[in-house]
């Protein structure tokens, strides 16, 4: 069985190059992780990168809370790629490095900031128990 081959920019079709350039010239700045694989199917890559860019950059959350939600989700799913790329961004955005370390250990940090606690609890519940309690939902809505 042939594995998906990695590509070089000069080997991309016009359609692939268009998607590549959109990603590189957008907020991501480079094509890595799943985007790199998806680019083998440019229609998939175009759709997926559009949804991903909206979910990451079109959110109403500030960067720190968005990155907190991403690393919480990434940790629950043991996604090394998400963790490696987003943990530094969470810290850069203002999340306490000790809290990031606690999350990396699969534990619940206790934040001083109610917004951070609300986002962490919401993301953790949504991913772990596949449901968000009314209490967690209310705290999130009341504070954001």
């Amino acid at each position: 069985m042939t594995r998906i081959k990695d590509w070089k920019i000069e080997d991309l079709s016009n359609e692939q190059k268009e998607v590549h350039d959109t990603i590189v010239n957008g907020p991501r700045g480079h094509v890595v992780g799943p985007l790199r694989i998806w680019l083998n199917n440019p229609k998939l890559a175009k759709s997926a990168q559009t949804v991903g860019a909206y979910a990451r950059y079109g959110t109403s959350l500030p960067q720190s809370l968005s990155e907190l939600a991403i690393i919480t989700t990434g940790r629950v799913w043991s996604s090394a790629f998400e963790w490696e790329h987003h943990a530094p961004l969470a810290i850069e955005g203002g999340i306490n490095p000790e809290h990031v370390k606690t999350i990396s250990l699969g534990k619940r940090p206790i934040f001083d900031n109610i917004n951070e606690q609300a986002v962490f609890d919401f993301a953790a519940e949504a991913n772990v128990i596949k449901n968000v309690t009314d209490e967690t939902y209310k705290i999130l809505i009341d504070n954001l």
Side-chain angles (χ1 to χ4, degrees):
M1 175 182 233
T2 304
R3 290 183 174 255
I4 296 173
K5 293 182 181 177
D6 199 7
W7 47 262
K8 295 178 183 171
I9 293 174
E10 59 269 15
D11 296 331
L12 296 177
S13 70
N14 288 339
E15 190 177 14
Q16 288 171 307
K17 183 83 167 88
E18 182 181 319
V19 177
H20 173 274
D21 292 350
T22 297
I23 296 167
V24 169
N25 294 318
R28 287 185 179 96
H30 53 279
V31 181
V32 295
L35 291 170
R36 194 157 181 91
I37 302 299
W38 296 337
L39 201 54
N40 286 289
N41 180 329
K43 287 181 180 161
L44 170 65
K46 183 176 183 179
S47 296
Q49 88 83 21
T50 300
V51 169
Y54 179 78
R56 181 169 174 204
Y57 302 108
T59 178
S60 61
L61 296 175
Q63 177 192 357
S64 64
L65 298 181
S66 180
E67 295 298 336
L68 176 59
I70 291 168
I71 65 169
T72 302
T73 301
R75 177 58 190 96
V76 169
W77 291 100
S78 298
S79 174
F81 175 82
E82 293 299 327
W83 188 264
E84 290 171 13
H85 283 78
H86 292 278
L89 294 172
I91 293 168
E92 179 183 300
I95 302 299
N96 183 323
E98 286 302 314
H99 293 322
V100 172
K101 182 177 179 181
T102 300
I103 295 167
S104 78
L105 298 172
K107 297 181 180 180
R108 181 179 185 252
I110 303 301
F111 294 91
D112 293 329
N113 180 308
I114 187 72
N115 293 339
E116 292 172 356
Q117 192 70 60
V119 167
F120 173 84
D121 289 344
F122 186 96
E125 287 183 18
N127 283 285
V128 173
I129 63 173
K130 312 297 186 255
N131 189 25
V132 176
T133 64
D134 290 341
E135 179 183 0
T136 297
Y137 181 79
K138 182 173 180 357
I139 292 169
L140 182 79
I141 295 302
D142 288 350
N143 289 286
L144 290 181

